[in-house]
Amino acid sequence: MIRFQKRHSVLPGFGLTLGFSLFYLCLVVLIPLAALALKAASFGWEAIWHATTAPRALASYRLTFGASLAAALVNAAFGLVVAWVLVRYRFPGRRVIDALVDLPFALPTAVAGIALTSLYAETGWLGRPLASLGLKVAFTPIGVGVALTFIGLPFVVRTLQPVLEALDPEVEEAAASLGANRLDAVLRVVLPAIAPAWLTGTALAFARALGEYGSVVFISGNMPMKTEIAPLVIMTKLEQYDYAGATAIAVTLLVVSFLLLGAINLLQAWSARRGALE
Amino acid sequence: MRARTLVLLVGVALALGGTSRLAAQDATLLNVSYDPTRELYQEVNAAFAEQWRAKTGKAVTIQQSHGGSGKQARAVLDGLEADVVTLALAYDVDAIAQGGLVAPGWQEKLPQNSCPYTSTIVFLVRHGNPKGLKDWGDLVKPGVSVITPNPKTSGGARWNYLAAWAWALRQPGGSDATAKAFVTQLFKNVPVLDTGARGSTNTFVQRGIGDVLLAWENEAFLAVKELGPEKVEIVVPSFSILAEPPVAVVDKVVDKKRTRAVAQAYLEFLYSAEGQAIAAKHYYRPRDKAALAKAPVRFPDLRLVTIDDTFGGWANAQKTHFADGGTFDQIYR
């Protein structure tokens, strides 16, 4: 508690910056979310429960959470490889690839969706050969996963990069000189050090995917019960001026995301502690 | 200090004087419309502004906003200050009326159900009509792939759905049960449900998916004009629905902005000979017989039912077919 006392603080301006942070968080995050919860509360529990547990809503949660999780896991694996390559090796074109990683951030999601649909539709460059192998991507849940993987990639790479950069190669050399082989060095020295950042990046990619609408609606085909994502169900309800139903599903998404992110945070704290102990 | 206050006051007075003089002369209208009317209203706006200046000596600037019909109605409900709305279906204007922005009974205030131009639902097929599709009944054949947007998210698609339903209803022995069976069969042939009409057009034209696109007649004409008859062609079914996109003055906004006179004149202009000719030029069916005769394309004759005579109005149609648990949801159960 001592560090909260003003005269012991090394850096001035704690009160001001904390006040500003709280104000900003309230304005940008908490007030809109509170308004959402308040709106939901005004409709009555029965209506909310009914909208939340309708078969179509349940099918859309399965798709949204399933595809988001799958996309986050794919990004976790390949994002690690990309970050590793970008940090550890010097090769021509490295800066270009580094810049390309940010592209999904910058590209309007609708553009990404249309481009991916063109590619993966059965008439597209990638869709045609895949279809001849019997794999349909566009207008199936796989297509949803592809779009979500695209938008989530930068999160994993950008959270891992600084941590990998800070990780001194000498640590690995030390491990090697102590008799560890290459695999051991990676598994027991590198991975524990980057695990918290890795989890954060994956969680961010996952959270981003849950709310994604713009790119997915083009590639998913939007078939009820099959390829309808939860944000689309919200839009559908709004289109019928069914604000209660839309709010109910929004709140469900919010609560589940919150719980999942909380769980990931715990996991991250645990892995950070374990890393510190080792 | 006093001098500075004086300068400030003079400045304020000048600014106020300036704006009030501007307000007396110039008006700005916001027309909140749905997606495919962009080009239509660009031309209408220019023609109306010219006519208004000739008639009153005042300048008028008309801004337009486009998007999905339902989305646009919600924006107006949430405070987008539209002087007039020109949407895809009366249901969306009804929603604005329920929010208290448009006075009840709006549809009787202008001629022809408040719809200065109409359209209908036709089929757009690939060149040469390889699957030989002629009428609604052909769409449920096995192996025919039909493209239409999702009626839950697209106002235009609701017209498609109701046209199919109405056709089945009018077949020998037709009933609500056979109509439901027919649209269920039809939607089994739909591989992709885009959220809007332009999305469906993209799916059909750019991605090459589907054998037939259910489209508004004006969009179908536009597609043939832009892509060329060697790529797509129009098939007119024996029977379809009269699509009536309504227009309305947003009472609460025009009273606040004092733009009622010019807003009313703007909508009435759509019914004038010039307005009707512009509508026909953009492939909407004009109400006026003379404009219809002079239209650049021939609008085919076909039997058209209306939403009121077959479905008892939009409120009913919406409740029976598109609300949660309605006939459309039952297809995907």
Side-chain angles (χ1 to χ4, degrees):
Chain A
M1 275 301 112
I2 283 174
R3 63 205 159 107
F4 285 103
Q5 281 172 22
K6 214 171 190 176
R7 59 191 157 183
H8 287 285
S9 173
V10 183
L11 279 173
F14 171 70
L16 186 69
T17 48
L18 179 70
F20 180 77
S21 308
L22 282 180
F23 170 74
Y24 191 73
L25 265 180
C26 279
L27 194 70
V28 176
V29 180
L30 291 181
I31 291 178
L33 290 187
L36 184 68
L38 206 65
K39 185 111 184 163
S42 71
F43 293 123
W45 289 112
E46 203 180 329
I48 291 181
W49 182 249
H50 189 73
T52 310
T53 55
R56 257 176 92 179
L58 293 177
S60 77
Y61 305 143
R62 271 196 294 274
L63 176 63
T64 288
F65 286 108
S68 299
L69 189 67
L73 292 178
V74 170
N75 275 329
F78 290 97
L80 174 64
V81 175
V82 173
W84 179 266
V85 167
L86 286 175
V87 169
R88 282 298 167 90
Y89 306 105
R90 292 293 171 270
F91 54 93
R94 190 181 71 95
R95 277 168 188 283
V96 177
I97 293 179
D98 196 38
L100 277 180
V101 170
D102 280 333
L103 209 60
F105 273 150
L107 204 65
T109 52
V111 176
I114 292 171
L116 288 173
T117 313
S118 299
L119 269 180
Y120 285 102
E122 274 178 59
T123 50
W125 291 346
L126 289 173
R128 205 191 316 248
L130 285 174
S132 65
L133 295 174
L135 185 67
K136 278 181 73 172
V137 177
F139 316 122
T140 67
I142 302 174
V144 177
V146 168
L148 295 179
T149 308
F150 176 82
I151 53 145
L153 174 75
F155 291 94
V156 178
V157 178
R158 288 295 180 244
T159 42
L160 273 178
Q161 258 178 326
V163 182
L164 276 175
E165 259 157 23
L167 191 70
D168 204 330
E170 280 172 21
V171 182
E172 286 160 69
E173 283 159 21
S177 74
L178 290 172
N181 62 29
R182 192 70 186 130
L183 186 68
D184 267 344
V186 169
L187 286 184
R188 303 196 34 201
V189 177
V190 178
L191 272 189
I194 62 168
W198 199 17
L199 277 171
T200 308
T202 311
L204 283 174
F206 176 68
R208 173 74 180 79
L210 286 182
E212 177 60 15
Y213 175 77
S215 61
V216 178
V217 291
F218 291 99
I219 200 167
S220 68
N222 307 323
M223 301 306 283
M225 308 297 290
K226 283 187 207 132
T227 56
E228 207 174 37
I229 52 168
L232 178 76
V233 175
I234 295 177
M235 287 303 292
T236 308
K237 303 243 174 223
L238 285 178
E239 210 63 34
Q240 303 161 48
Y241 306 97
D242 176 10
Y243 290 91
T247 313
I249 293 179
V251 168
T252 309
L253 276 187
L254 194 68
V255 168
V256 177
S257 317
F258 196 75
L259 291 177
L260 282 171
L261 289 179
I264 290 170
N265 263 336
L266 285 179
L267 192 66
Q268 191 193 331
W270 171 79
S271 91
R273 227 177 15 249
R274 219 181 57 132
L277 283 178
E278 277 188 7
Chain B
M1 201 61 168
R2 197 173 292 160
R4 216 203 254 165
T5 317
L6 196 69
V7 169
L8 192 73
L9 280 177
V10 170
V12 169
L14 275 178
L16 282 177
T19 52
S20 69
R21 199 147 13 94
L22 267 179
Q25 277 184 356
D26 299 342
T28 304
L29 290 184
L30 174 61
N31 175 3
V32 170
S33 194
Y34 64 109
D35 259 328
T37 58
R38 198 178 309 261
E39 295 79 15
L40 166 69
Y41 278 108
Q42 265 162 15
E43 200 168 338
V44 166
N45 294 347
F48 172 72
E50 202 168 299
Q51 197 210 48
W52 184 251
R53 188 196 290 278
K55 217 197 271 176
T56 65
K58 291 173 191 167
V60 57
T61 314
I62 298 138
Q63 293 166 335
Q64 29 187 141
S65 156
H66 298 271
S69 188
K71 205 178 292 163
Q72 293 291 77
R74 278 199 309 284
V76 172
L77 274 170
D78 289 341
L80 178 64
E81 289 207 320
D83 299 270
V84 298
V85 288
T86 53
L87 297 174
L89 61 173
Y91 178 69
D92 289 326
V93 185
D94 281 339
I96 300 175
Q98 262 169 24
L101 295 172
V102 171
W106 59 273
Q107 212 157 7
E108 276 81 59
K109 285 190 185 150
L110 284 163
Q112 306 273 19
N113 250 350
S114 226
C115 306
Y117 44 79
T118 65
S119 191
T120 185
I121 305 302
V122 297
F123 306 163
L124 194 70
V125 298
R126 304 202 182 279
H127 175 65
N129 194 2
K131 294 263 164 115
L133 308 170
K134 298 234 159 41
D135 208 347
W136 291 98
D138 298 328
L139 303 186
V140 297
K141 286 183 181 160
V144 173
S145 164
V146 183
I147 303 297
T148 170
N150 190 337
K152 299 278 259 188
T153 51
S154 156
R158 276 172 234 170
W159 292 108
N160 297 352
Y161 184 94
L162 294 178
W165 187 284
W167 177 84
L169 210 53
R170 299 295 162 98
Q171 295 312 295
S175 66
D176 277 340
T178 61
K180 190 173 156 192
F182 176 73
V183 293
T184 303
Q185 203 60 37
L186 176 63
F187 274 83
K188 293 266 186 295
N189 279 353
V190 177
V192 183
L193 285 169
D194 283 291
T195 52
R198 286 269 158 109
S200 281
T201 310
N202 259 335
T203 299
F204 182 72
V205 174
Q206 311 294 341
R207 318 248 175 288
I209 295 173
D211 301 306
V212 52
L213 172 73
L214 304 185
W216 283 51
E217 186 183 49
N218 58 305
E219 289 279 90
F221 273 124
L222 195 67
V224 173
K225 184 183 138 197
E226 305 220 311
L227 302 162
E230 70 283 355
K231 289 203 91 168
V232 288
E233 52 192 70
I234 294 175
V235 169
V236 182
S238 65
F239 176 98
S240 194
I241 196 163
L242 183 71
E244 297 184 287
V247 302
V249 169
V250 184
D251 295 287
K252 214 164 184 177
V253 174
V254 293
D255 287 343
K256 188 179 144 206
K257 286 173 65 184
R258 300 189 190 172
T259 47
R260 181 177 284 281
V262 55
Q264 185 74 23
Y266 177 65
L267 293 188
E268 279 164 9
F269 175 76
L270 297 169
Y271 291 89
S272 72
E274 196 181 354
Q276 292 280 291
I278 296 173
K281 192 174 150 196
H282 291 275
Y283 309 122
Y284 283 95
R285 295 181 173 218
R287 295 283 198 175
D288 180 44
K289 293 271 184 324
L292 195 61
K294 277 188 285 185
V297 288
R298 204 182 63 77
F299 293 106
D301 261 330
L302 69 163
R303 277 186 58 209
L304 296 174
V305 290
T306 69
I307 197 93
D308 291 330
D309 64 31
T310 305
F311 296 96
W314 264 112
N316 261 329
Q318 180 74 26
K319 207 166 91 201
T320 316
H321 299 291
F322 309 118
D324 281 346
T327 62
F328 179 72
D329 278 358
Q330 289 166 25
I331 292 176
Y332 291 98
R333 196 161 277 167

